[in-house]
Amino acid sequence: MGAPGATSMVARVEAPMTARAYMMCVFAAFGGIFFGYDSGYISGVMGMKVFIHAIEGPDATALTSSNKSLITSILSAGTFFGALFAGDLADWIGRRVTIILGCLVFMVGVTLQTASEGLGLIVAGRLVAGLGVGLVSAVIILYMSEIAPRKVRGALVSGYQFCVCVGLLLASSVDYGTQDRTDTSSYRIPIALQILWALILATGLFLLPESPRYFVKKGSLDKAAVVLARLRGQPLESPYIQDELAEIVANHEHEMTLVPQGGYWQAWANCFRGSIWEPSSYLRRTILGTSIQMMQQFTGINFVFYFGTTFFQQLGTIDNPFFISLITTLVNVCSTPISFWSMERLGRRSLMLWGALGMCVCEFIVAVVGTVAPDNENAVRAMIAFICIYIFFFATTWGPGAWVVIGEIYPLPMRAKGVALSTASNWLWNCIIAVITPSMVDADKGNLGAKVFFIWGALCTSCFVYAYFLIPETKGLTLEQVDQMLAETTARTSSRWVPHSTFADEMGMTEKAGTGHIEHQSDASESV
């Protein structure tokens, strides 16, 4: 397999990295800030006396399990549908415009929440905000994966998870600062502040270019060339630009020959086409993308960030649960940057394996200690320490890793819908966990307390088995090379695969994306 000159094309399939490309991706990752903040502020707010009185009445001391589940999970329900809509919108109006639209929808939801004085409007506002978060969380990963240089794609997409962690930390800090206020500003301030993050992202996206792969999908190769040159910091006539565009075009045309072409429903049906036993089939990739996000939720991390404050309150031996929640989010933020280096150095597959093992051990220790000595202050300190170590393992492995992998495994014809389905899976399981966890843990229901970590530990064990058999190694490959790798290897042998040819050479298309497609470059530059 291969063609004359294939080796040189493989080496020159992407231009050298530039500071400009870094900064574009770094800013796009800012979308994680309001995703993390929106997920994190609710933990502290649900423990505030003023908020509890607004929801339950003046004599209440805590939210009921049902209301706690509803308020937490309704956001995830909204994000599930928002993520599904994102797949269509990203293909119809573009990746960049979809993200901006998501910011606007999100701000409407935040406005409703800020104005709320009871359960109804807070639930409605979180549902609408969830739609916006779903749009952004699905498309921001798609957008970053498509514009990021391959050598740092894992690190830059990990930056999204880092911004999620920063958002969680900001939320905990604001909750901590407003917890003692005696009026509704105690919860209105944390809620309203979210608008700032959405405004910053929406404004910045106006200045960033559209994805070149979106233009290739639309058949606008002249615009794709202009955007690619802008992203890579190269002149339009550069061989790097011509070769990378040729490879994107060739891979897209190759994939288009493999699936039936049709209307709207056919495009969705193609996501489930092929055999489950064929590693490169569309069905297998869809299952991999959706299940890896399910497994990320099975680690139990959102139990800590959604219900951490109320869980620490229930332990009864902690003086300031808000402060402990702040510490856990700080550990999350400080740990995640390690993945910027390790994701490209050690690879996706290795990190997911070791991360699952580390989390599993920590969770079983927390469960055992919390069961044997639930009222011992030293034992509780040990539990908190191992919860922090568990968060460290998540933040450096499965946290960013799941998002990186789903941005890499889908071919261009189904990439937007595949990433949307994967993100929707994340939010679906997020919602399920948010609904059932209070009933499992709260004293008036299942009363598991720290024993819930036996469940998370068992699920993390399944994450380890899952990673060993199903997660491929994709580091250092272009998105088009990932397609080749999946077709020629298995997850367990993928780390040994190296690129040996290009789609452009094999299809005789090395010159296809050349000057013939960019002769109208001046007009294209004005519209990109």
Side-chain angles (χ1 to χ4, degrees), residues 291-506:
S291 61
I292 198 173
Q293 291 288 12
M294 175 185 73
M295 288 296 178
Q296 189 203 56
Q297 291 302 304
F298 280 3
T299 63
I301 194 66
N302 278 325
F303 167 73
V304 177
F305 294 128
Y306 281 164
F307 305 109
T309 302
T310 53
F311 173 73
F312 294 134
Q313 285 175 335
Q314 290 169 4
L315 293 179
T317 55
I318 297 176
D319 293 332
N320 195 334
F322 284 87
F323 183 66
I324 300 301
S325 292
L326 183 59
I327 290 176
T328 59
T329 55
L330 185 61
V331 170
N332 198 25
V333 170
C334 294
S335 303
T336 301
I338 296 174
S339 67
F340 299 174
W341 172 84
S342 60
M343 196 64 64
E344 299 301 344
R345 181 76 174 182
L346 303 178
R348 288 65 156 152
R349 178 177 166 81
S350 297
L351 284 181
M352 304 292 256
L353 283 167
W354 287 107
L357 183 61
M359 287 188 289
C360 171
V361 171
C362 290
E363 287 173 325
F364 279 126
I365 291 175
V366 171
V368 170
V369 172
T371 302
V372 173
D375 300 320
N376 185 295
E377 291 187 8
N378 290 327
V380 171
R381 291 190 187 100
M383 288 171 57
I384 293 171
F386 276 100
I387 286 174
C388 289
I389 297 172
Y390 149 65
I391 291 172
F392 165 81
F393 277 111
F394 175 84
T396 54
T397 60
W398 278 81
W403 294 107
V404 171
V405 172
I406 68 165
E408 297 176 329
I409 60 173
Y410 294 110
L412 184 55
M414 69 165 294
R415 185 170 295 139
K417 290 179 172 59
V419 173
L421 286 169
S422 299
T423 307
S425 172
N426 178 289
W427 290 111
L428 173 64
W429 289 100
N430 193 310
C431 180
I432 291 172
I433 289 172
V435 168
I436 66 176
T437 300
S439 296
M440 294 162 55
V441 176
D442 286 359
D444 61 337
K445 297 291 183 179
N447 197 26
L448 286 179
K451 296 184 184 72
V452 74
F453 281 92
F454 280 120
I455 297 175
W456 305 135
L459 290 173
C460 269
T461 303
S462 67
C463 289
F464 178 85
V465 176
Y466 172 90
Y468 179 77
F469 286 105
L470 294 177
I471 296 180
E473 185 53 74
T474 56
K475 72 169 182 175
L477 304 177
T478 67
L479 297 181
E480 288 67 41
Q481 288 167 350
V482 171
D483 280 348
Q484 284 186 317
M485 180 271 292
L486 290 175
E488 298 174 9
T489 188
T490 64
R492 285 180 288 173
T493 60
S494 57
S495 60
R496 298 193 294 271
W497 186 88
V498 294
H500 49 76
S501 64
T502 67
F503 283 102
D505 274 338
E506 291 179 7

Side-chain angles (χ1 to χ4, degrees), residues 33-225:
I33 290 276
F34 78 80
F35 165 31
Y37 188 97
D38 195 53
S39 298
Y41 87 86
I42 199 64
S43 173
V45 163
M46 289 193 300
M48 293 178 180
K49 292 181 181 179
V50 177
F51 185 77
I52 293 171
H53 294 163
I55 301 299
E56 303 291 352
D59 298 326
T61 58
L63 295 178
T64 63
S65 296
S66 58
N67 282 342
K68 194 188 301 183
S69 294
L70 175 62
I71 293 170
T72 307
S73 63
I74 196 67
L75 175 82
S76 301
T79 51
F80 171 77
F81 291 104
L84 287 181
F85 296 152
D88 290 327
L89 289 174
D91 280 343
W92 291 341
I93 63 177
R95 283 60 161 144
R96 186 173 62 102
V97 178
T98 301
I99 297 171
I100 295 171
L101 177 62
C103 291
L104 298 177
V105 173
F106 176 78
M107 286 188 282
V108 172
V110 172
T111 302
L112 292 175
Q113 293 176 70
T114 305
S116 67
E117 294 183 353
L119 182 64
L121 207 53
I122 195 78
V123 169
R126 281 179 65 78
L127 178 63
V128 174
L131 290 171
V133 173
L135 290 173
V136 174
S137 62
V139 182
I140 203 77
I141 294 298
L142 171 67
Y143 179 71
M144 291 178 66
S145 297
E146 291 191 338
I147 70 173
R150 59 171 171 164
K151 292 182 180 179
V152 293
R153 187 175 60 243
L156 290 174
V157 176
S158 295
Y160 170 79
Q161 179 65 21
F162 175 67
C163 287
V164 171
C165 299
V166 171
L168 288 166
L169 177 61
L170 289 170
S172 291
S173 300
V174 175
D175 285 346
Y176 183 72
T178 64
Q179 62 173 308
D180 294 326
R181 287 175 172 262
T182 57
D183 56 17
T184 58
S185 65
S186 62
Y187 67 85
R188 292 188 197 276
I189 291 174
I191 293 174
L193 194 58
Q194 300 172 94
I195 292 179
L196 177 61
W197 319 130
L199 278 173
I200 293 173
L201 181 64
T203 302
L205 260 292
F206 278 108
L207 306 176
L208 294 181
E210 182 55 83
S211 163
R213 288 175 170 88
Y214 166 73
F215 285 128
V216 169
K217 183 177 176 65
K218 288 295 187 181
S220 302
L221 302 191
D222 47 358
K223 294 181 180 179

Side-chain angles (χ1 to χ4, degrees), residues 1-6 9-10 12-13 241-254 480-481 484 501-514:
M1 187 175 181
M9 269 290 290
V10 168
R12 205 178 66 188
V13 77
I241 302 303
Q242 300 302 316
D243 290 347
E244 184 174 357
L245 184 56
E247 180 68 354
I248 295 171
V249 172
N251 173 255
H252 181 243
E253 295 196 3
H254 169 72
E480 288 67 41
Q481 288 167 350
Q484 284 186 317
S501 64
T502 67
F503 283 102
D505 274 338
E506 291 179 7
M507 298 177 68
M509 297 175 61
T510 303
E511 302 300 326
K512 181 157 187 168

